[in-house]
């Protein structure tokens, strides 16, 4: 009985979340394209349902899109997961941060942050302008493999530290002691 209640509540939570996400796109179509609410809701709902069904059944044995696997090396579900989690979410976060920090009119930003004090608003603006874009770019660079390609190996780090000791102004005994400790560390 507890399982039925849990999954019933899970379905309710999923539906309410889906409706709230659908509302954003439907509102855009109603404002920009003069669609009626039923037309926007039904069109988008059916498109999202069809796309979701294809994704949900992508790992099934009898799935008809078998040509996807050889072409992309992964199932349709895995491709959509890679696209959304590695690209769409970070890029969306980056564009939102850039817009909110640099493009959004100051009067709109002030209206949204009216409940915050002056120092908190300044801190938020600093974080959204400088910190958030840099961190999101780091995530994107990690996802495409740039960070891993630039990450030095342990051997390279040990060589760099050894060269630092060699070039330092420490006396020879101190250099030798730290070099021995470095050699002990690298031997582990």
């Amino acid at each position: 009985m507890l399982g039925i209640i849990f999954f019933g509540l899970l379905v309710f939570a999923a539906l309410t979340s889906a409706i709230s996400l659908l509302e954003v796109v439907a509102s855009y179509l109603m404002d920009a394209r003069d669609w009626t609410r039923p037309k926007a809701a039904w069109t988008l709902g059916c498109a999202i349902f069809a796309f979701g069904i294809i994704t949900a059944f992508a790992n099934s044995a009898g799935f008809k899109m078998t040509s996807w696997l050889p072409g992309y090396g992964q199932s349709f579900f895995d491709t959509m997961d890679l696209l959304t989690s590695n690209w769409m979410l970070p890029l969306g976060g980056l564009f939102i941060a850039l817009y909110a920090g640099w493009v959004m009119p100051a009067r709109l930003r002030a209206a949204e942050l009216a409940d915050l004090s002056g120092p908190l608003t300044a801190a938020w603006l600093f974080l959204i302008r400088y910190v958030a874009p840099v961190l999101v770019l780091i995530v994107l660079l990690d996802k495409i493999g740039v960070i891993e390609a630039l990450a030095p190996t342990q051997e390279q780090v040990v060589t760099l530290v050894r060269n630092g000791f060699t070039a330092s102004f420490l006396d020879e005994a101190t250099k030798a002691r730290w070099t021995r400790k470095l050699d002990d560390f690298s031997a582990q």
Side-chain angles (χ1 to χ4, degrees):
M1 182 64 173
L2 189 60
I4 293 171
I5 293 171
F6 171 77
F7 284 108
L9 291 173
L10 185 65
V11 167
F12 180 73
L15 283 175
T16 56
S17 296
I19 290 169
S20 68
L21 290 171
L22 178 68
E23 178 61 28
V24 174
V25 185
S27 294
Y28 167 76
L29 291 175
M30 290 173 1
D31 293 340
R33 309 273 187 217
D34 291 328
W35 284 20
T36 63
R37 181 175 295 279
K39 179 181 178 183
W42 278 106
T43 303
L44 292 169
C46 290
I48 292 169
F49 179 77
F51 195 69
I53 287 295
I54 292 170
T55 305
F57 289 119
N59 290 330
S60 298
F63 186 60
K64 300 296 181 198
M65 284 182 63
T66 54
S67 63
W68 191 273
L69 191 61
Y72 293 97
Q74 54 191 0
S75 72
F76 184 76
F77 178 85
D78 293 332
T79 303
M80 292 300 105
D81 179 49
L82 176 82
L83 179 68
T84 55
S85 63
N86 290 0
W87 292 101
M88 294 172 79
L89 286 173
L91 281 174
L94 177 66
F95 290 141
I96 287 171
L98 291 174
Y99 177 80
W102 296 101
V103 179
M104 186 178 200
R107 63 177 175 76
L108 291 176
R109 191 170 44 239
E112 291 295 325
L113 301 173
D115 295 339
L116 296 178
S117 65
L120 283 177
T121 302
W124 178 86
L125 192 56
F126 174 78
L127 290 173
I128 206 74
R129 280 185 173 176
Y130 301 106
V131 177
V134 169
L135 293 178
V136 173
L137 281 174
I138 289 171
V139 168
L140 280 170
L141 291 174
D142 181 50
K143 293 297 180 184
I144 62 175
V146 172
I147 302 262
E148 186 178 330
L150 295 176
T153 64
Q154 181 178 346
E155 180 182 326
Q156 291 169 329
V157 171
V158 167
T159 301
L160 181 65
V161 173
R162 179 176 285 113
N163 291 343
F165 286 136
T166 303
S168 70
F169 295 107
L170 297 173
D171 60 271
E172 294 303 318
T174 305
K175 285 183 189 180
R177 187 180 76 225
W178 282 107
T179 304
R180 277 192 308 275
K181 285 185 179 185
L182 182 63
D183 290 336
D184 292 344
F185 171 77
S186 63
Q188 294 176 353

